[in-house]
Amino acid sequence: MELLRSSLIPSHRAPKLTTKRHLHHRQNQLNFGIPNDSSSKNTGAAAKRCAIVNRASESGDADTAVVVEKLPPKPRLFKVFPGRPTPFGATLRDGGVNFAVYSRNATLISLCLIRLRDLPEKRVAEEISLNPLINKTGDVWHVFVKGDFEDMAYGYRVKGSFSPEDGFYFDSSKILIDPYAKAVVSRGEYGALGLDDDYWPQMASPVPSIKDEFDWEGDLPLKHPQKDLIVYEMHVRGFTRHESSDAKFPGTYRGLVEKLEHLKKIGVNCIELMPCHEFNELEYYSYNSVLGDYKMNFWGYSTVNYFSPMARYSSAGIGNYGLGAVNEFKYLVREAHKQGVEVIMDVVFNHTAEGNENGLTLSFKGIESSDFYMLAPKGEFYNYSGCGNTFNCNHPIVRQFILDSLRYWVTEMHVDGFRFDLASILTRSSSLWDAVNVYGSAVEGETMTTGTPLSCPPLVDIISNDPILRGVKLIAEAWDCGGLYQVGNFPHWGIWSEWNGKYRDVVRQFIKGTDGFSGALAECLCGSPNLYQKGGRKPWSSINFVCAHDGFTLADLVTYNNKHNSSNGEDNKDGENHNNSWNCGQEGEFVRISVKKLRSRQMRNFFLCLMVSQGVPMIYMGDEYGHTKGGNNNTYCHDNFINYFRWDKMEEASSDFFRFCSLTVNFRRECESLGLNEFPTAKRLQWHGHAPGDPDWSDSSRFVAFTLIDSAKRELYIAFNASHVAVVVALPERPGYKWEPLVDTGKPAPYDFLADDLPNREEAAQQYAHFLDNNLYPMISYSSIVLTLSLDLTS
């Protein structure tokens, strides 16, 4: 796609030089970009604009003299100086702006200054060519510019070899985004096409201004202990975009702030934002005949720039030249902190939006593709991400770039941590990783190639030991699309945690009644010590989840045996085929009452299991009220009701599940024993079966029960019956104390959780008094319970 009209590219023809003029031309080259004070003097200016040209005739007589008026040179809008190579990006300094960009193989770079109003037409206001003799230090090109930058954005035009077989994609017809840009501007409205229906319109970055300020009102990091986190994975736009949200600023950072109270009701103290780095939601733009709308890149896992917040998640759009989005993101973080809620960003350093060798050239590829991407010897792009390219994370330049980006979001934007998408790519060797580069000489038997997993990857090492970053939350999605699965083995330095995909799979299998998972569930309930204890890690190293953005929602997990992705327009071929789901007897939403009741129990069973497991629980947005995506487990392309949080549904009678979820979360927070810093031992935890102290770990067992000593609640008895058969369990005897019912997913709402403020609570608790008086409790099929211990005042 042609980003610039050829007519906008200046074409200069070098004049033929005599020996005498050559020295003067060389002097001008050396002084390129340096203002010449004499050029502004008027002395003799009129005379210099005129010349007498004598043209001889064929007879040798002089022809009539002709006066030629020389046009004055176009006045520069800016004063230009050599500049400094650091820091990278555009930086305010000494009454001007210093621009610095890295490119090892470029032959020429120009700084393009563009008025915001001219951006749709891709018209450049001024182009400043950087002289490699004075505007380049090492591999860094730089220039210092003074002038009026009001309403001005910038980008780079980079010239060099276009030879994909060598990994070079230089194309001077394109204006590229600065990798270190702090904002990106193009379209102001989400989903709106650019000029001439262009869905990849020209993008640029605002020149920083001294006016860019934000009042943090004394904001400081919350620093919640990781063991105490309740994480809520959410989508900024999807959370308030539906009309039922009644948000004043729907689909934006400000809209999210309007609904923070909802998160507080649940008990959430940490939100994990799906990608908020600048991306193009129109990347997959195409008509979807199934729904009669257009496919979008809704999830945002396709980064354009790693320093810029997504502008179209801002109510300001590209207001204040894109810097309005920066301040609005800061506003979100500040207000979340006021509510005691930390903010974690989902970051995608495994690939970018530029695709493979046939993809786009937006920034990294046109600046230095051979360093920013993993390339094969003939220039092909390695694809460990499954998205066309792989960011060359352990290359020294890229490593520093990622470190700078993370530091920026912590220090300038006040975020509390990061979840790294496909983080196993962060552990793969770079295209420089061979014996000669690493050790200085060849090593016998050395067979390491680009992408080989490293036991001590430099990037993870430097992040883990960085004085700023080691103090924030660091979460790895410990796998990638190249088959590298590192759950339990991700390099951690004692501070990284992981999305525990094994927890998800085991819990799904057990709760739906699959044989052979009782022992594995016990490991999950203890924080997966089988994965993390040997490496010296803690229960909080495990981020436990049953559902996430990728896959079935909790409601769909108990409603569908198979994926139903036809609305994606890909013939149901996309998405995961193995979901470990169970429809409870009938496929789809329109089923018998008995099936609906079973589904309701199963949703509660899953949620309760998540909340009583050691480790850090993560809830997916909408699961707290039973959001359905109609069985679609890959909703990446839908900017519609499929992905929108339905506030109207949450308010309906079926939101009894919301009550259950919020009560269960807050119960967990009240219990000292449900967020341990160490793995539980026999001094605190005992396993039981249908009889006390007699657990059944056989392959046919579908029952797991345990007691847990708790300093706040004395002791808890928790049991899961994943069998289709009801049981009566014998409870451990505690002389002088009695067991009291609290949670029973087999009971209808609101008696599924006997909260203190429940009307007729005492009467409801007395229903099973005759069982409890004999240390017994009945459990129906597919149900779970929590009992607490209290003093027996009758004994």
Side-chain angles (χ1 to χ4, degrees):
M1 185 186 306
E2 184 182 0
L3 292 182
L4 292 173
R5 310 294 187 200
S6 59
S7 60
L8 297 181
I9 305 170
S11 177
H12 302 290
R13 179 176 298 172
K16 293 183 180 180
L17 303 178
T18 63
T19 303
K20 190 179 223 181
R21 293 181 61 198
H22 175 74
L23 292 176
H24 179 68
H25 178 75
R26 176 62 174 163
Q27 185 180 22
N28 285 342
Q29 273 192 322
L30 292 172
N31 289 286
F32 180 85
I34 302 176
N36 184 352
D37 292 337
S38 63
S39 63
S40 60
K41 296 179 180 178
N42 294 323
T43 304
K48 291 180 181 178
R49 290 200 299 268
C50 302
I52 303 299
V53 177
N54 294 316
R55 186 173 58 197
S57 64
E58 291 181 0
S59 62
D61 299 328
D63 205 345
T64 305
V66 178
V67 178
V68 178
E69 180 78 10
K70 288 187 177 180
L71 294 176
K74 183 180 179 181
R76 276 191 176 278
L77 298 175
F78 301 94
K79 293 182 178 180
V80 180
F81 306 88
R84 298 178 182 177
T86 57
F88 288 156
T91 308
L92 289 170
R93 180 176 69 82
D94 301 332
V97 180
N98 191 80
F99 298 87
V101 62
Y102 163 84
S103 182
R104 181 163 54 94
N105 290 294
T107 57
L108 185 64
I109 291 183
S110 297
L111 173 66
C112 298
L113 296 167
I114 312 164
R115 291 187 180 88
L116 200 61
R117 65 178 180 269
D118 294 335
L119 192 62
E121 288 79 22
K122 307 168 186 176
R123 186 164 57 247
V124 176
E126 181 143 337
E127 186 162 342
I128 302 170
S129 294
L130 308 188
N131 188 333
L133 293 176
I134 64 171
N135 296 108
K136 185 181 181 187
T137 303
D139 295 327
V140 182
W141 299 72
H142 47 80
V143 64
F144 180 66
V145 184
K146 286 187 175 183
D148 181 6
F149 291 106
E150 186 71 24
D151 189 35
M152 198 68 72
Y154 78 99
Y156 292 108
R157 200 190 304 278
V158 183
K159 185 176 182 180
S161 171
F162 186 85
S163 52
E165 65 279 4
D166 298 316
F168 299 146
Y169 290 84
F170 296 110
D171 184 349
S172 60
S173 71
K174 302 180 185 299
I175 296 179
L176 307 175
I177 303 168
D178 179 2
Y180 278 80
K182 304 308 185 290
V184 173
V185 294
S186 57
R187 299 172 292 105
E189 182 182 350
Y190 187 97
L193 294 169
L195 193 67
D196 298 326
D197 290 341
D198 188 356
Y199 51 91
W200 277 103
Q202 178 66 56
M203 291 177 280
S205 304
V207 177
S209 167
I210 197 170
K211 300 176 183 178
D212 304 335
E213 296 180 355
F214 180 78
D215 183 4
W216 280 105
E217 299 180 0
D219 178 70
L220 293 172
L222 296 174
K223 293 189 178 296
H224 292 320
Q226 185 139 330
K227 68 182 184 64
D228 295 335
L229 294 185
I230 308 291
V231 181
Y232 187 88
E233 187 195 23
M234 67 183 308
H235 190 280
V236 170
R237 179 173 171 83
F239 193 51
T240 61
R241 186 64 187 88
H242 194 266
E243 59 185 11
S244 63
S245 74
D246 291 327
K248 186 176 180 181
F249 302 98
T252 66
Y253 303 121
R254 293 182 69 179
L256 197 163
V257 171
E258 295 179 57
K259 295 294 186 178
L260 283 173
E261 186 60 33
H262 170 76
L263 303 178
K264 292 290 290 181
K265 288 179 181 178
I266 304 174
V268 166
N269 60 6
C270 178
I271 53 177
E272 182 180 299
L273 303 178
M274 290 175 66
C276 289
H277 285 152
E278 182 69 25
F279 68 93
N280 183 7
E281 74 278 10
L282 297 177
E283 183 173 2
Y284 312 138
Y285 190 78
S286 61
Y287 183 69
N288 185 348
S289 60
V290 179
L291 293 182
D293 63 1
Y294 289 84
K295 295 174 69 171
M296 297 280 191
N297 176 10
F298 185 76
W299 285 352
Y301 289 92
S302 192
T303 306
V304 167
N305 184 272
Y306 290 101
F307 284 82
S308 306
M310 174 60 169
R312 289 167 301 287
Y313 283 172
S314 164
S315 62
I318 57 173
N320 194 23
Y321 321 117
L323 297 170
V326 176
N327 283 344
E328 195 165 317
F329 186 93
K330 291 178 178 178
Y331 171 70
L332 163 60
V333 175
R334 187 189 72 189
E335 297 306 304
H337 285 176
K338 288 181 181 178
Q339 297 289 334
V341 176
E342 293 190 335
V343 179
I344 290 177
M345 293 182 67
D346 190 343
V347 292
V348 190
F349 286 109
N350 58 79
H351 76 283
T352 76
E354 293 187 299
N356 61 16
E357 54 271 18
N358 299 314
L360 301 164
T361 301
L362 304 171
S363 180
F364 306 98
K365 186 187 290 186
I367 290 173
E368 194 57 75
S369 60
S370 59
D371 287 347
F372 281 108
Y373 296 108
M374 287 189 190
L375 301 181
K378 294 185 179 180
E380 304 94 337
F381 282 64
Y382 283 104
N383 189 20
Y384 294 115
S385 68
C387 297
N389 63 57
T390 306
F391 216 45
N392 202 15
C393 296
N394 282 299
H395 185 287
I397 290 295
V398 184
R399 189 166 69 234
Q400 185 63 50
F401 169 80
I402 294 174
L403 189 74
D404 290 343
S405 171
L406 297 175
R407 281 182 161 188
Y408 172 79
W409 286 95
V410 172
T411 59
E412 296 296 325
M413 309 296 272
H414 289 206
V415 302
D416 301 282
F418 307 93
R419 179 263 188 188
F420 293 81
D421 183 65
L422 299 184
S424 289
I425 285 177
L426 275 59
T427 73
R428 291 185 179 273
S429 61
S430 74
S431 55
L432 284 183
W433 203 269
D434 57 62
V436 174
N437 278 312
V438 176
Y439 304 111
S441 61
V443 176
E444 186 176 353
E446 176 69 47
T447 58
M448 187 173 289
T449 58
T450 298
T452 299
L454 304 171
S455 59
C456 185
L459 175 60
V460 181
D461 184 350
I462 196 171
I463 292 173
S464 304
N465 293 288
D466 183 78
I468 294 172
L469 299 177
R470 67 174 288 105
V472 304
K473 276 73 178 182
L474 301 171
I475 304 170
E477 183 185 36
W479 56 83
D480 65 22
C481 293
L484 183 55
Y485 191 81
Q486 297 175 306
V487 172
N489 295 304
F490 189 85
H492 56 84
W493 277 266
I495 60 175
W496 285 74
S497 57
E498 300 171 5
W499 263 29
N500 191 344
K502 292 182 178 180
Y503 176 97
R504 172 199 59 203
D505 298 341
V506 167
V507 170
R508 288 187 178 192
Q509 291 276 27
F510 178 85
I511 295 295
K512 77 187 183 81
T514 305
D515 286 339
F517 283 90
S518 58
L521 180 73
E523 293 278 5
C524 290
L525 292 167
C526 290
S528 301
N530 57 317
L531 296 177
Y532 300 110
Q533 191 169 33
K534 186 177 179 181
R537 302 170 82 177
K538 306 295 182 180
W540 52 258
S541 299
S542 176
I543 305 296
N544 301 328
F545 66 103
V546 175
C547 298
H549 69 273
D550 194 359
F552 279 152
T553 66
L554 186 57
D556 290 349
L557 187 65
V558 300
T559 304
Y560 299 95
N561 281 355
N562 305 302
K563 66 182 183 182
H564 294 266
N565 296 1
S566 59
S567 60
N568 297 353
E570 300 176 38
D571 299 323
N572 206 38
K573 295 178 181 178
D574 62 302
E576 177 60 56
N577 292 317
H578 306 288
N579 297 283
N580 295 321
S581 61
W582 179 41
N583 62 18
C584 297
Q586 284 182 274
E587 188 81 354
E589 295 188 45
F590 302 101
V591 294
R592 300 186 301 271
I593 295 296
S594 60
V595 173
K596 288 187 175 181
K597 289 182 176 179
L598 175 55
R599 289 175 178 175
S600 177
R601 295 205 303 275
Q602 288 290 75
M603 288 175 64
R604 286 162 170 77
N605 293 336
F606 278 120
F607 199 89
L608 180 65
C609 184
L610 186 63
M611 289 303 142
V612 299
S613 298
Q614 301 298 327
V616 177
M618 186 185 80
I619 307 164
Y620 175 54
M621 180 184 84
D623 277 351
E624 70 268 32
Y625 70 84
H627 181 75
T628 178
K629 295 182 180 181
N632 192 325
N633 69 359
N634 188 33
T635 60
Y636 72 98
C637 60
H638 294 289
D639 179 38
N640 54 41
F641 65 93
I642 293 177
N643 280 318
Y644 293 167
F645 190 101
R646 294 291 301 272
W647 296 90
D648 53 342
K649 297 294 183 183
M650 200 198 72
E651 296 298 329
E652 291 178 359
S654 61
S655 67
D656 286 335
F657 185 58
F658 173 72
R659 172 186 177 272
F660 178 86
C661 290
S662 58
L663 287 171
T664 307
V665 170
N666 285 287
F667 171 73
R668 175 191 172 90
R669 296 184 65 174
E670 293 170 0
C671 293
E672 164 266 341
S673 63
L674 294 180
L676 297 174
N677 200 49
E678 303 291 341
F679 293 102
T681 65
K683 291 182 179 180
R684 182 188 286 269
L685 183 147
Q686 289 184 320
W687 297 105
H688 308 287
H690 293 160
D694 187 23
D696 182 1
W697 306 122
S698 67
D699 284 347
S700 60
S701 173
R702 298 186 184 181
F703 184 86
V704 172
F706 63 98
T707 49
L708 193 63
I709 295 174
D710 185 271
S711 62
K713 304 289 185 181
R714 291 193 179 90
E715 192 171 3
L716 309 175
Y717 178 89
I718 302 171
F720 296 89
N721 178 27
S723 169
H724 62 284
V725 178
V727 297
V728 176
V729 298
L731 305 174
E733 294 188 7
R734 298 291 186 260
Y737 297 89
K738 63 179 181 179
W739 292 105
E740 290 191 343
L742 180 68
V743 178
D744 187 341
T745 63
K747 294 181 180 179
Y751 304 108
D752 50 357
F753 197 112
L754 299 181
D756 291 339
D757 61 351
L758 179 69
N760 304 318
R761 183 187 186 283
E762 293 302 320
E763 292 86 339
Q766 284 297 314
Q767 290 182 358
Y768 288 107
H770 56 297
F771 282 100
L772 293 170
D773 288 344
N774 294 283
N775 271 342
L776 300 172
Y777 195 91
M779 295 182 68
I780 68 171
S781 62
Y782 301 106
S783 69
S784 50
I785 61 171
V786 176
L787 310 178
T788 59
L789 198 64
S790 64
L791 285 170
D792 187 357
L793 300 178
T794 64
S795 60

